[in-house]
């Protein structure tokens, strides 16, 4: 129990720069008091002590302004900042490391029993005053803007804003697209910089991938420029650029890459 409490307090320091010390966090963060009361009321609920569970949840509401139905399933390091006006419905499911601000509702849109409240995957952030309605899923790492009303699924890594909520950014897709583009360019140069896990990219390999992309774009520009000058009767692109001297890259670990780049120089087709 104390491990979980320590973990909860640490999660406040990770997410609220205003938090100063553990005693202050322990005593003046209603979001924490609400989640601790919920853990107990959820236990009572599962043991069939429904009335006791509801009473404890109601007590939590009086003291914190946060209403969490005892049936709601909540993961670890859940943090409700400020708290007042938060409502979490009976069939809501919340993953780990989720953050809610004040005024958030995880509500239902139907009076039918059964799953009728949202599912929030790990690391979701819901802005102040947002309403997430119905048995929808907010994907891992997704964000919802303050005062939005979301009634449809939000993909992993996406940001949804407005009424009705619409996706404005999808960092996961955006980054995947960029990575795929860089990989294809790096493959042309014979350099597989991305033989690393996508969720743990090597920063140096990544930097080299970015530089290769830049070199590739410059190749295209130079080729375009040469074509235009040739058409005007100029003769500026006859000589090929001197290959990189591998000696200059001795002891850097980059020699094999430079060798491959030089080797591919002649036959390299920049149009992908
Ligand atoms: C949604 C949010 C997470 C987006 O953050 P972000 O990833 O940095 O994205 P940006 O700020 O670049 O915004 C992206 C677009 O969404 C718009 N947007 C952001 N928040 C919005 C909101 N709540 N409602 C409507 N549009 C919003 C921006 O204007 C921008 O639009 P544009 O591309 O047309 O310029 C953030 O704005 C937010 O609302 N966070 C909640 C914070 C909160 O509740 N704090 C309470 C502290 S007490």
């Amino acid at each position: 129990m104390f491990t979980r409490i320590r973990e909860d307090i640490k999660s406040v320091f990770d997410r609220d720069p205003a938090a100063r010390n553990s005693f202050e966090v322990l005593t003046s963060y209603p979001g924490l008091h609400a989640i601790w009361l919920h853990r107990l009321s959820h236990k009572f609920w599962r043991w069939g002590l429904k009335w006791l569970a509801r009473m404890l949840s109601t007590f939590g509401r009086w003291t914190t302004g946060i209403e969490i139905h005892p049936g709601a399933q909540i993961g670890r390091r859940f943090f409700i900042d400020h708290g007042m006006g938060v409502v979490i419905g009976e069939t809501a499911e919340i993953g780990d490391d989720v953050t809610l601000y004040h005024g958030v509702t995880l509500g239902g849109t139907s009076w039918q029993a059964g799953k009728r409240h949202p599912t929030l995957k790990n690391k979701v952030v819901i802005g102040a005053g947002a309403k997430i309605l119905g048995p929808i899923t907010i994907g891992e790492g997704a964000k919802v803007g303050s005062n939005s009303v979301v009634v449809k699924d939000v993909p992993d890594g996406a940001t949804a804003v407005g009424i009705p909520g619409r996706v404005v950014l999808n960092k996961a897709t955006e980054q995947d697209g960029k990575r795929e583009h860089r990989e294809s360019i790096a493959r042309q140069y014979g350099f597989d910089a991305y033989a690393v896990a996508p969720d743990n990219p090597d920063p140096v390999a990544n930097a080299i991938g970015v530089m290769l992309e830049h070199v590739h774009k410059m190749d295209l520009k130079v080729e375009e420029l040469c074509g235009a000058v040739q058409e005007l009767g100029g003769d500026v692109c006859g000589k090929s650029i001197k290959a990189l001297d591998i000696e200059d890259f001795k002891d850097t670990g980059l020699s094999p890459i430079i060798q491959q780049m030089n080797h591919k120089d002649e036959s390299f087709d920049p149009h992908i």
Side-chain angles (χ1 to χ4, degrees):
M1 185 178 89
F2 290 110
T3 317
R4 292 290 290 272
I5 291 177
R6 263 200 298 274
E7 193 178 78
D8 293 331
I9 292 174
K10 185 177 174 303
S11 79
V12 174
F13 286 114
D14 292 342
R15 287 177 252 177
D16 182 7
R20 292 187 311 143
N21 57 60
S22 298
F23 183 69
E24 186 182 275
V25 171
L26 196 67
T27 50
S28 47
Y29 276 71
L32 288 187
H33 307 151
I35 187 66
W36 294 334
L37 285 170
H38 171 74
R39 280 187 199 141
L40 191 57
S41 75
H42 186 61
K43 274 207 172 78
F44 288 153
W45 186 260
R46 285 178 37 205
W47 292 338
L49 303 170
K50 308 269 180 189
W51 178 83
L52 195 57
R54 286 306 296 261
M55 278 314 293
L56 196 56
S57 151
T58 306
F59 174 72
R61 182 176 178 276
W62 288 339
T63 52
T64 65
I66 295 167
E67 182 175 328
I68 309 178
H69 191 283
Q73 295 171 42
I74 301 181
R76 299 177 76 146
R77 299 173 295 278
F78 178 53
F79 177 44
I80 305 173
D81 203 359
H82 308 294
M84 190 60 82
V86 168
V87 176
I88 300 177
E90 180 188 356
T91 61
E93 292 164 77
I94 298 176
D96 295 332
D97 301 295
V98 169
T99 308
L100 307 187
Y101 288 94
H102 51 285
V104 167
T105 300
L106 305 183
T109 48
S110 126
W111 290 340
Q112 308 286 328
K115 173 77 175 163
R116 60 192 184 284
H117 300 104
T119 297
L120 273 46
K121 298 286 190 185
N122 298 340
K123 297 184 180 163
V124 162
V125 178
I126 311 287
K131 315 293 169 214
I132 317 295
L133 304 176
I136 59 172
T137 299
I138 308 298
E140 183 156 342
K143 290 180 188 168
V144 173
S146 47
N147 286 328
S148 304
V149 178
V150 180
V151 289
K152 288 187 183 149
D153 289 353
V154 175
D156 290 352
T159 297
V161 298
I163 303 174
R166 68 194 159 81
V167 171
V168 287
L169 286 174
N170 192 336
K171 288 197 174 130
T173 314
E174 208 176 35
Q175 280 167 7
D176 281 354
K178 277 187 184 161
R179 191 185 313 119
E180 179 52 38
H181 183 54
R182 285 189 185 132
E183 278 174 6
S184 70
I185 292 169
R187 275 195 297 273
Q188 288 223 18
Y189 280 103
F191 170 48
D192 183 10
Y194 293 86
V196 287
D199 56 346
N200 183 25
D202 176 343
V204 177
N206 195 44
I208 292 172
V210 173
M211 285 192 289
L212 286 174
E213 184 181 38
H214 189 70
V215 168
H216 171 65
K217 282 181 180 160
M218 281 178 18
D219 274 351
L220 289 175
K221 283 251 177 271
V222 170
E223 194 187 41
E224 212 178 299
L225 202 63
C226 282
V229 175
Q230 300 278 30
E231 266 177 35
L232 293 172
D235 183 21
V236 289
C237 302
K239 284 187 190 164
S240 58
I241 302 167
K242 190 170 169 282
L244 293 168
D245 188 350
I246 208 151
E247 278 298 302
D248 294 338
F249 295 88
K250 211 167 62 181
D251 302 329
T252 64
L254 291 171
S255 308
I257 300 162
I258 304 304
Q259 203 168 16
Q260 282 166 349
M261 283 178 75
N262 282 344
H263 180 69
K264 294 243 167 173
D265 248 359
E266 304 271 330
S267 55
F268 177 63
D269 172 10
H271 297 290
I272 55 169

